[in-house]
Amino acid sequence: MQIFGVDIGGSGIKGAPVDLDRGELTAERHKVLTPHPATPDAVADGVKEVVGHFGWTGPVGITFPGVVADGATIRTAANVDKAWIDTDARALLGDRLGGLPVTVLNDADAAGVAEMQFGAGRDRRGTVLLLTFGTGIGSALFIGGELVPNTELGHLELGGHEAEKRASTKAKEDHELTWEHWARRVTKYLAHVEMLFSPELFIIGGGVSRKADKFLPLIEGIKAEIVPAQLQNNAGIVGAAMRAAKKAS
C-alpha cells in the first residue's frame, strides 16, 4: 500500500509516496524551499507543488513544525509565520490540494511514529524520546509504545535560553560551532530532558542524524541509550503517510 507523505520544515518542504509495508519512499523525494515569510498560503502553495510533482490523487499526510490540535488547528508556530496560529491547516491544505483527504500532525510526532514502527525504536516499549535537530528541536515522546502528542520539548528553558536557540542544528550553523562545542550544548540539553522524563532510549533524528559519527561519540554522562534515527530525514514523510493511512482505514 502506498500513501503520500509531506514534511513541512523551517527550511524545506519535501514529500514522496511511501510504501507502508516497508516504511520506505517509493520514489526520490521532491523538495522545495520553505517560503519566507512562511505564511499559510505560501506554505500551502509549496505543499501543492510537492504533491503535484508526482501527480498524486489519493490521501496525503502532512507534518507541521508546531502543535497541531485535533488533527487540524495550529496552536504554535515557532519557525514559520505567526499567521499559522489558529489556522485550520487540514481545511486549508485539503482545499489547496483540490479536496484530497488530508491528515495533519506535528512533524516530530510523525518522525517518531515512523521510527517506532520501522526504525530505531522498533520493539521498544519503555519510555522512548525522539529528538529532531534542525531549524529547531522537535520531540516525540512514547510511553509503552504510545505517543504523547505535541510535547515540543525544544522550547524548554536551558541556562536562561530556549533550548532550540542554543542546541539546534541551525544554532550550530549560525554560531559556527565546532562539533565538539555543539556536542557539549546537546549534552546539557539531553541531561535536562533526561532529568525530567527518564527515557531508556534517545533517538536523534533530523538531517544531522546522517552525521551521527561526528557528535554522538562526544556526548558523555547520559544514562539512557542514544542512537541515530534509522530513517534519518525521511522519517517525517514516512510517519505522515502512516498517519494518513490510519485515518483512511
Side-chain angles (χ1 to χ4, degrees), residues 68-165:
V68 182
D70 303 319
T73 306
I74 304 305
R75 296 301 187 205
T76 65
N79 296 304
V80 290
D81 195 88
K82 301 301 182 186
W84 274 103
I85 295 174
D86 294 329
T87 294
D88 185 333
R90 183 169 58 197
L92 170 67
L93 295 168
D95 180 69
R96 195 60 52 91
L97 295 178
L100 296 182
V102 166
T103 302
V104 184
L105 72 161
N106 174 267
D107 57 348
D109 286 350
V113 166
E115 283 292 329
M116 292 297 286
Q117 178 70 29
F118 296 108
R122 191 171 185 175
D123 299 325
R124 301 294 286 261
R125 289 295 175 265
T127 300
V128 177
L129 189 53
L130 173 131
L131 298 168
T132 58
F133 290 82
T135 305
I137 299 175
S139 60
L141 176 65
F142 294 84
I143 299 174
E146 295 295 324
L147 173 67
V148 180
N150 292 311
T151 49
E152 290 288 279
L153 299 179
H155 302 298
L156 288 170
E157 182 179 322
L158 185 64
H161 300 274
E162 193 173 46
E164 69 176 25
K165 302 300 184 185

Side-chain angles (χ1 to χ4, degrees), residues 12-60:
I13 302 168
K14 53 189 181 291
V18 177
D19 181 333
L20 294 177
D21 293 322
R22 298 181 298 161
E24 298 176 357
L25 309 190
T26 62
E28 184 175 352
R29 69 190 188 189
H30 183 65
K31 180 178 179 178
V32 299
L33 295 178
T34 300
H36 293 285
T39 62
D41 281 337
V43 171
D45 285 340
V47 171
K48 180 180 179 180
E49 180 178 343
V50 169
V51 176
H53 176 80
F54 294 88
W56 186 263
T57 58
V60 180

